[in-house]
Amino acid sequence: MTPHHDGSPLHVSTQTPALGETVHVRLRVPEAFGPLAWVGTRSNPNREPRFDEASVVATADGWQWWEAAVEVENPVHGYRWLLVGQDGRQHWLNQLGLSRVETRDHDDFTLVAHEPAPEWAASSVMYQVFPDRFAKSASAPFDRLRAQGELPEWAMPADWSDPVDPAYPGRSKQLFGGDLDGVRERLDHLESLGVDLLYLTPVFPARSNHRYDASTFDVVDPLLGGDEALVRLVEAAHARGIRVIGDLTSNHSGDAHEWFRAAQADQDAPEREFYFFRDEADGGGYESWLGVPSLPKFDWSSAELRRRFIEGPDSVVARFLEPPFELDGWRIDVANMTGRLGEADLNAEVRQTIRRTMRDVNPDTILLAESTNDAASDFQGDAWHGAMTYTPFTRPLWSWLLEPGSRAGGGIGFALQQVPTFTGAEFHAAHTRFAAGFPWHTRLATMNALDTHDTPRFATHARPGAVPVALGLAVTLPGIPVVWAGDEFGLTGDDGEASRTPMPWGSERSPAVAPILDTYRSLLGLRRRHPVLATGGIRWLGAGDDAVAFVRESVDESVLVFAARSAATLTFDAAALSAADAAARLFGNARLEASAGLVTLEAEEAGFAAWSLPGVAAPPWRGEAA
């Protein structure tokens, strides 16, 4: 057992501190840790170290509770704990854990005075839909236009049962004809899973099936049913308690976009400054996303681009949050590259402008942003509420739960597309390292995705029995669990394009699909029924080669989690989980035994298990009535 602190309400007196406010923070120290001469926090306001001494406020269940007062002097106020033993030895505690040597500011706990994510964000269960492949309504525009020979010239029409074409041009031009009314007609399915947040990949007209190459941001693609279909979908989703967010490409448009065509046609057009055109002396042409010519890159130094796209009530960002559309937020594509090129870096200005516009239109909206790799520096609470990133969860998870030697083409960011093989301890270390860079509230709103439309599907190369383990971790670790449409049907695919498979509607009761659907419903339901899994603290109890264990904690309830990729046993000091003998099984078949001062968790095969325990007996905050 080691001292413990996290950003949850157990340890921080307010989750929404204001600049200048004094916040009380708490550290739990095992009584067996040893006698202490001094305990307190070390902050770094205005880049000048400051120490605030803590005092013991309670002793219970083998823990001493120390409390300190910290003034929030900067919008992002970092702090760590210092424990000095009576022998003079120093121990530092930050988001990475306990250290005998001084730690970096980068890994400090943080109090963030910026506007927080919407209150509903942390408790959400997200479902991601790629509209062309999800469902086709009886009145789908695709069928009518195909029969009339009026599909766009770029489209390669396919029947719903056809295989996905993984080679260019089919991989981006093959069109199956799903539409937004088709999504609306399948909301029963989302509701049965326990989903309350629907994420739609782009719905604007484009020259590809993925629509990340928008030709306009003014209207919804008629192939998807147009503006009216989006309005119908959002209204129907809201009636069921399901929020809906859209997808914007802030880094680029398509080369058929009306702005880009105007810029190419006339060097004096105002749209010319929207993009990075090179001088003829430099070879001419223009900058694009990773050199792909169909995706010309935006130049965010343009005030007019900002006005049209992201700033103010008449912008694209605002328009689709307002009636009649009333989207509940945005996911921003390629957010990590937005506004960045060479010496230029306008990323902070762009993201803050987007959020300011959203706040003015509807402050109860969420702003999520894609960042393939280490995203921490951009996600300190000034705009993005959470990340669609692969470093804290997805890549460590795959490295632990995929078959050794697996490869992962495209999108997910593994070096040389090779998935390393991790132990459970290495999974924990990688997860902790990258999550440590996020403020607590950012962690709660960051997407825990097994996979997405840009990656291979997790099940493709998963170890036997690993899917429930992976989903169980997605719903119990801090963050928003994500279901990429089709995972609940057991779909597979070796890269992002091959994974964009039409949904196999009608197979729900088949022997191959029904057990997977049941697992998804059970585990997503677990998340919905136990609020501690959304906002409670997290304390790791053990990590071996083949299993990990942790507990999510609040004053109302605790949930013990045990995840194993094969037969495995974990044993830890019973003092780390004082109420283990009162555990009530919530999911799984693993064994829990508390005896002789030890807690033993044992699995006979790969599996996920969870137990409910009593909440933590936390003392009242100073100044509160007992």
Side-chain angles (χ1 to χ4, degrees):
M1 289 175 64
T2 59
H4 179 71
H5 175 82
D6 56 45
S8 72
L10 274 179
H11 303 98
V12 180
S13 62
T14 176
Q15 298 295 295
T16 56
L19 198 62
E21 182 176 356
T22 295
V23 175
H24 291 261
V25 294
R26 282 179 172 165
L27 176 70
R28 281 191 282 170
V29 181
E31 289 184 286
F33 187 73
L36 295 168
W38 194 92
V39 173
T41 60
R42 181 270 193 190
S43 303
N44 198 30
N46 308 311
R47 297 299 187 265
E48 187 66 29
R50 190 186 75 197
F51 293 83
D52 292 292
E53 187 170 5
S55 59
V56 176
V57 293
T59 300
D61 295 331
W63 297 93
Q64 283 187 332
W65 290 75
W66 293 77
E67 185 173 321
V70 177
E71 182 183 353
V72 182
E73 295 190 46
N74 301 122
V76 180
H77 186 103
Y79 65 98
R80 71 193 73 149
W81 289 92
L82 173 62
L83 300 84
V84 182
Q86 288 187 355
D87 57 4
R89 289 188 300 174
Q90 295 183 350
H91 291 85
W92 299 90
L93 182 70
N94 65 5
Q95 295 209 81
L96 287 176
L98 198 65
S99 173
R100 283 293 314 279
V101 298
E102 190 172 355
T103 57
R104 301 185 306 162
D105 293 350
H106 176 78
D107 300 314
D108 279 352
F109 302 104
T110 51
L111 300 168
V112 178
H114 293 299
E115 178 199 23
E119 189 174 344
W120 51 264
S123 61
S124 297
V125 172
M126 178 185 286
Y127 191 89
Q128 182 191 3
V129 162
F130 189 86
D132 181 58
R133 310 291 165 84
F134 185 68
K136 188 163 58 173
S137 70
S139 58
F142 172 86
D143 290 334
R144 173 177 52 81
L145 294 173
R146 185 181 186 182
Q148 296 171 350
E150 296 177 1
L151 286 174
E153 51 83 20
W154 58 265
M156 299 171 61
D159 294 327
W160 202 255
S161 59
D162 287 347
V164 170
D165 185 351
Y168 189 82
R171 65 188 288 120
S172 60
K173 307 297 183 183
Q174 190 180 31
L175 203 65
F176 285 82
D179 63 334
L180 296 178
D181 282 321
V183 180
R184 177 175 54 83
E185 292 170 1
R186 295 290 180 174
L187 289 175
D188 281 348
H189 175 71
L190 273 65
E191 196 169 27
S192 77
L193 289 173
V195 167
D196 59 3
L197 181 58
L198 169 60
Y199 155 38
L200 300 170
T201 59
V203 298
F204 301 108
R207 294 195 297 186
S208 68
N209 52 42
H210 55 72
R211 296 182 171 88
Y212 283 100
D213 57 331
S215 56
T216 181
F217 296 115
D218 286 347
V219 298
V220 174
D221 193 339
L223 280 168
L224 294 176
D227 290 0
E228 295 80 5
L230 180 59
V231 172
R232 288 192 293 268
L233 169 58
V234 175
E235 287 179 346
H238 284 176
R240 296 169 181 259
I242 299 173
R243 293 179 171 87
V244 184
I245 63 172
D247 200 335
L248 276 182
T249 56
S250 63
N251 180 71
H252 55 263
S253 71
D255 63 344
H257 198 286
E258 55 201 3
W259 296 342
F260 188 69
R261 289 192 166 179
Q264 283 186 310
D266 182 0
Q267 293 193 14
D268 295 323
E271 292 84 1
R272 187 79 177 182
E273 64 178 20
F274 291 11
Y275 300 90
F276 291 97
F277 287 95
R278 293 188 290 265
D279 294 334
E280 292 300 325
D282 296 324
Y286 52 89
E287 296 290 342
S288 60
W289 175 73
L290 299 183
V292 178
S294 62
L295 301 174
K297 184 176 177 68
F298 286 129
D299 180 355
W300 284 105
S301 66
S302 167
E304 179 62 13
L305 173 61
R306 296 186 189 198
R307 186 191 68 77
R308 293 193 198 180
F309 199 175
I310 65 172
E311 188 168 25
D314 298 323
S315 65
V316 174
V317 164
R319 179 175 175 235
F320 287 89
L321 303 181
E322 297 171 330
F325 301 103
E326 295 189 307
L327 290 177
D328 298 287
W330 291 109
R331 177 264 191 187
I332 302 298
D333 183 61
V334 199
N336 52 306
M337 295 179 69
T338 293
R340 291 177 169 137
L341 184 67
E343 64 182 9
D345 189 347
L346 298 174
N347 190 277
E349 293 180 36
V350 174
R351 66 182 187 246
Q352 290 165 14
T353 301
I354 293 173
R355 184 54 204 158
R356 185 166 57 250
T357 297
M358 294 174 66
R359 184 173 61 246
D360 290 345
V361 173
N362 180 1
D364 197 37
T365 51
I366 195 167
L367 181 57
L368 304 176
E370 180 188 28
S371 185
T372 306
N373 295 297
D374 184 5
S377 61
D378 289 345
F379 286 78
Q380 295 302 305
D382 65 350
W384 312 132
H385 290 139
M388 181 180 182
T389 186
Y390 302 113
T391 50
F393 179 76
T394 315
R395 291 210 295 261
L397 184 85
W398 282 36
S399 299
W400 186 45
L401 294 180
L402 291 197
E403 293 281 9
S406 296
R407 294 182 62 81
I412 196 167
F414 280 112
L416 307 178
Q417 300 186 9
Q418 182 69 43
V419 182
T421 299
F422 282 1
T423 64
E426 289 168 332
F427 160 74
H428 166 251
H431 166 74
T432 301
R433 174 180 300 163
F434 287 104
F438 291 148
W440 179 253
H441 262 289
T442 305
R443 286 184 68 181
L444 297 186
T446 287
M447 294 164 60
N448 289 344
L450 305 191
D451 44 30
T452 71
H453 68 295
D454 281 330
T455 78
R457 288 198 186 261
F458 172 81
T460 309
H461 300 294
R463 291 172 183 250
V467 169
V469 181
L471 182 61
L473 290 169
V475 303
T476 56
L477 284 169
I480 298 174
V482 180
V483 179
W484 159 221
D487 280 355
E488 74 275 31
F489 284 77
L491 297 184
T492 60
D494 270 320
D495 68 9
E497 299 292 344
S499 297
R500 300 172 185 179
T501 314
M503 293 284 283
W505 299 114
S507 65
E508 292 89 331
R509 296 184 180 180
S510 70
V513 173
I516 304 173
L517 268 172
D518 286 345
T519 297
Y520 269 77
R521 289 174 177 139
S522 295
L523 285 172
L524 296 176
L526 181 72
R527 168 69 175 229
R528 297 294 299 275
R529 290 190 300 273
H530 298 275
V532 67
L533 298 177
T535 58
I538 181 169
R539 187 163 51 87
W540 288 85
L541 299 170
D545 287 354
D546 297 314
V548 299
F550 56 87
V551 61
R552 298 296 304 275
E553 299 176 309
S554 73
V555 294
D556 298 316
E557 183 188 24
S558 297
V559 171
L560 171 64
V561 171
F562 179 52
R565 69 180 180 186
S566 63
T569 301
L570 282 181
T571 301
F572 52 87
D573 190 334
L577 199 69
S578 58
D581 56 353
R585 187 180 303 277
L586 298 174
F587 188 91
N589 298 315
R591 182 175 67 88
L592 184 159
E593 181 179 333
S595 64
L598 296 174
V599 173
T600 300
L601 302 173
E602 184 176 12
E604 295 183 357
E605 59 186 358
F608 175 84
W611 295 263
S612 176
L613 297 95
V616 176
W621 294 98
R622 284 179 183 158
E624 290 184 349

